[in-house]
Amino acid sequence: MFASLLTKRSLATLIKGQDAAKKIMSQVSQDLELLQKAGVKPKVVPVVVGDVAESRIYLDRKRAAALKAGLEFEEKIIPDNVDMPTMLKTIEDLNADPSVHGIIVQLPIPKHLDEQVVCNSVDVTKDVDGFTCRNLGNLVQGVGLGDSFVPCTPLAALKILQQIQQTEDIDFMGKNAVVAGRSHNVGLPIAMILQADHIKGGLDLTTTICHRYTPNEQLVEAVSKADVVVSAAGVPGLIKPEFVKPGAIVIDVGINRIKVDGKSKIVGDVHPDVAKVAGYMTPVPGGVGPCTVACLLYNTVIAARRQSQI
Ligand code: ADP
């Protein structure tokens, strides 16, 4: 019973994203070695439409991590007035380019482009963000099934939970989880992974999904019963300490820019005082974020290995 084990703590163990990312990166290094021996340098290409300040921060982080690890990272920058046929042709060309192993559509893209059609145009074998309907559909059948890709943030949440599971020797089977947020790239795939059977790569958690129309008292009730709380709602302070079951594992996927004393600051969805109640907690910044970047590189080397049959 891990809840009682973790309640002995007075403060949550904060999960440093960099430490969790290191474990993922050691797998990436092993795969890179195999690829290097075969003369393959994995390349990931983000398709970037226009100049979105938010995207720039993420792109720079991805670039730095990719280059540090020894992957190629080549942005395809397109003007923000691009039309759909040109956008689709750009992706088609990258799909056909054998030197490109991974393609990501850096979201958000301008409203005049159909995001769903654009994301689905990425070749499934190069879809290292796991955003195509094929890869999201595969997730329903099994986590990381066959030659599919799991979206990076959900994969990061899974890897963090698996690391805690190993450290504490705990069993999630049949325990309660809540996910706040049901976006098709983040909240929903996380919930799918949490609830999935361990035989299918999931965690067997009884999982409740809350969203913007869930009455707050129902969110509070679900959180108070949850051994695992994941928040991906984009609402600062949504998860308050008084809601959280002592010893729970709290994964904060929110990235919110707020102003404090006139200065811009990044905060998550989880109130910092939750650290006084939880057993484990991921901070923001520096929690799930660095792990998500590591998962992108992880998916890219897997893509390169599959495409090169290594
Ligand atoms: P992301 O893709 O990063 O998860 P989105 O903005 O696309 O972010 O999605 C936010 C999600 O959070 C939506 O599914 C929305 O319904 C959910 N959400 C918004 N407010 C709340 C709230 N107060 N409680 C729970 N979920 C919420």
Side-chain angles (χ1 to χ4, degrees):
M1 291 299 285
F2 72 90
S4 57
L5 175 77
L6 300 182
T7 46
K8 285 183 191 144
R9 300 186 179 153
S10 54
L11 272 180
T13 302
L14 285 186
I15 301 160
K16 301 259 169 53
Q18 293 298 356
D19 295 345
K22 247 185 226 160
K23 300 212 171 109
I24 301 165
M25 290 309 292
S26 76
Q27 178 67 49
V28 169
S29 302
Q30 284 175 29
D31 283 358
L32 273 172
E33 231 169 83
L34 291 174
L35 287 160
Q36 224 163 17
K37 278 187 193 142
V40 179
K41 189 165 188 188
K43 189 200 279 189
V44 56
V45 176
V47 178
V48 185
V49 186
D51 191 11
V52 182
E54 291 276 290
S55 297
R56 181 47 45 208
I57 301 168
Y58 297 127
L59 282 163
D60 288 348
R61 285 197 191 136
K62 290 174 193 173
R63 172 193 296 282
L67 298 186
K68 189 172 168 213
L71 282 83
E72 276 190 60
F73 187 93
E74 196 178 286
E75 285 177 37
K76 186 88 191 162
I77 299 177
I78 302 172
D80 58 8
N81 61 356
V82 64
D83 57 19
M84 267 303 270
T86 312
M87 183 72 188
L88 295 179
K89 175 75 171 65
T90 305
I91 294 176
E92 213 176 279
D93 290 347
L94 293 169
N95 285 341
D97 183 343
S99 75
V100 175
H101 304 95
I103 302 166
I104 56 182
V105 177
Q106 185 66 42
L107 299 176
I109 55 175
K111 291 271 174 290
H112 71 274
L113 298 171
D114 186 330
E115 183 183 308
Q116 199 179 347
V117 173
V118 169
C119 287
N120 279 331
S121 72
V122 173
D123 188 293
V124 184
T125 63
K126 299 189 178 185
D127 174 29
V128 289
D129 253 344
F131 287 175
T132 56
C133 57
R134 177 81 179 276
N135 276 319
L136 287 170
N138 277 332
L139 195 53
V140 177
Q141 297 186 336
V143 181
L145 193 78
D147 58 0
S148 66
F149 291 104
V150 179
C152 300
T153 303
L155 184 58
L158 173 64
K159 298 243 174 225
I160 289 171
L161 286 168
Q162 285 172 332
Q163 285 182 25
I164 299 171
Q165 197 173 25
Q166 281 166 13
T167 310
E168 297 283 354
D169 192 23
I170 51 177
D171 191 358
F172 289 127
M173 194 179 279
K175 297 276 179 349
N176 289 326
V178 62
V179 180
R182 54 159 177 201
S183 72
H184 59 262
N185 294 336
V186 185
L188 195 58
I190 289 175
M192 287 200 293
I193 292 169
L194 299 191
Q195 61 77 40
D197 194 311
H198 65 282
I199 293 165
K200 293 181 172 185
L203 296 178
D204 278 315
L205 287 150
T206 305
T207 305
T208 303
I209 301 174
C210 298
H211 50 73
R212 69 177 76 249
Y213 302 114
T214 304
N216 194 253
E217 56 275 20
Q218 281 186 28
L219 171 85
V220 173
E221 198 193 334
V223 172
S224 68
K225 288 185 186 149
D227 302 292
V228 174
V229 178
V230 182
S231 194
V235 181
L238 179 69
I239 309 297
K240 298 193 173 29
E242 58 271 28
F243 308 165
V244 175
K245 180 172 170 178
I249 296 167
V250 182
I251 309 289
D252 193 351
V253 181
I255 301 175
N256 310 297
R257 199 170 292 273
I258 59 162
K259 284 245 182 259
V260 179
D261 300 331
K263 279 189 194 149
S264 182
K265 194 180 166 199
I266 301 280
V267 297
D269 288 356
V270 176
H271 191 287
D273 285 351
V274 169
K276 294 177 186 162
V277 187
Y280 276 91
M281 182 170 150
T282 61
V284 175
V288 176
C291 246
T292 297
V293 174
C295 286
L296 172 67
L297 306 185
Y298 176 87
N299 278 348
T300 304
V301 292
I302 290 177
R305 282 191 64 177
R306 286 180 190 155
Q307 286 157 42
S308 319
Q309 293 176 344
I310 292 167

